Amino acid sequence: MTGLLDLGGRVAIVTGGNSGIGLGMAKGLAAAGAMLVIAGRNAQKNAAAGQALQALGAQVLAVEADVTQEDACRALVQAALERFGRLDILFNNAGTNIRKPPQDYTLEEWKTVLDTNLTSAFLCSQAAYPALVKAGGGKIINTGSMTSIFGAGFAAPYGASKGGIVQLSKALASAWAKDNIQVNAILPGWIDTELTRQARKEVPGLHERVLARTPAARWGVPEDFAGIAIFLASRASDFVTGTAIPVDGGYSAQA
Ligand code: NDP
């Protein structure tokens, strides 16, 4: 790939890059020439995703990391710098959900969801900041959700974390524009991944409701995130910052 969308020589970290949407985005970045660092807790998933990305011709480092931990976020950035010598792009994409009525959550469950989806993005962004400044600028892309916009009665902590992702993106975009760092959020619609396969088991009628509500009349797939990932990671988006872009087959456009 040449020109505005070329990521040759660029180094990208993708948290949650070993499956689902994160792997779909990482494959896009690989196709555009980026060197990749993928992070997740599960060593087997990391190894399999690393091989899939290498098969596309990318240089890949897979790091076992729990991004709810501050030390792990710092170690992740350090590992990227040791392996590739620079860092240009950070995708904060790791996420989880626990579905139940709001009155039934324990504090521990609330913290698990908030720490995994929101605090991790703050910690990894903080850890990456000095390296991005050193590189002369960079890109941070945070994964939000339709629950960044809409309420979901079975996902109070998830919605709180994903609403927070949008505001965190705007705050970082405002603070770090002077450093030539652009920060944006991607808001996926309903995408067929491990996370939503579980949701379909737990929420009766979800599959049909998503099909009926989505103008594109299908569930999204991880490959739908390759293009937006390349755009937001590349020079093509240098004047785009603080935004939250739905990638949802029209779900959020339709009343
Ligand atoms: P997956 O379950 O396929 O991916 C979740 C990823 O997050 C895995 O790679 C997992 O790796 C990683 N992860 C979870 N917890 C941690 C942790 N503590 N430390 C490091 N990595 C972690 O689901 P999706 O691809 O669907 O989810 C990716 C993102 O997209 C999430 O932020 C999710 O909220 C968001 N999203 C998904 C939607 C959908 O419809 N699928 C819709 C809207 C948003 P490991 O298990 O190895 O730690």
Side-chain angles (χ1 to χ4, degrees):
M1 204 172 287
T2 55
L4 280 176
L5 298 169
D6 185 14
L7 297 177
R10 301 289 163 104
V11 178
I13 292 177
V14 184
T15 73
N18 68 19
S19 83
I21 291 171
L23 183 53
M25 296 196 293
K27 285 180 178 171
L29 302 176
M35 293 169 267
L36 287 161
V37 181
I38 56 167
R41 295 159 303 174
N42 184 310
Q44 281 177 340
K45 277 161 59 180
N46 285 350
Q51 281 172 10
L53 291 164
Q54 274 165 355
L56 298 174
Q59 293 185 56
V60 187
L61 174 68
V63 178
E64 225 175 293
D66 177 353
V67 293
T68 64
Q69 304 301 310
E70 185 175 11
D71 289 354
C73 295
R74 292 188 187 283
L76 173 60
V77 170
Q78 199 49 42
L81 294 175
E82 277 168 22
R83 172 73 167 78
F84 293 117
R86 60 183 292 140
L87 179 65
D88 304 280
I89 302 154
L90 168 66
F91 281 79
N92 290 309
N93 167 76
T96 195
N97 197 1
I98 299 172
R99 297 168 198 87
K100 51 173 72 174
Q103 62 274 22
D104 292 345
Y105 285 97
T106 64
L107 179 57
E108 209 49 45
E109 289 170 330
W110 169 271
K111 284 183 176 165
T112 295
V113 177
L114 268 289
D115 286 356
T116 306
N117 297 359
L118 179 59
T119 308
S120 65
F122 172 65
L123 292 174
C124 287
S125 299
Q126 250 191 353
Y129 177 65
L132 298 180
V133 171
K134 196 170 170 209
K139 306 280 185 178
I140 298 177
I141 299 97
N142 299 318
T143 303
S145 153
M146 286 298 102
T147 65
S148 300
I149 310 172
F150 302 112
F154 54 84
Y158 187 82
S161 71
K162 295 300 190 178
I165 276 287
V166 172
Q167 295 307 324
L168 175 65
S169 302
K170 290 180 184 180
L172 298 183
S174 302
W176 294 346
K178 67 172 175 46
D179 302 304
N180 190 30
I181 297 170
Q182 290 82 48
V183 187
N184 292 286
I186 293 173
L187 312 183
W190 284 95
I191 316 303
D192 184 16
T193 67
E194 223 170 272
L195 193 71
T196 50
R197 262 164 242 148
Q198 190 59 29
R200 273 182 273 186
K201 281 186 206 148
E202 292 175 8
V203 184
L206 178 64
H207 179 70
E208 292 71 22
R209 280 211 308 281
V210 168
L211 287 182
R213 167 73 202 261
T214 306
R218 66 169 174 87
W219 283 65
V221 291
E223 292 72 23
D224 287 321
F225 291 82
I228 189 78
I230 296 169
F231 172 66
L232 289 177
S234 71
R235 283 196 301 126
S237 60
D238 275 357
F239 202 53
V240 180
T241 197
T243 68
I245 302 177
V247 179
D248 65 351
Y251 184 97
S252 60
Q254 178 160 270

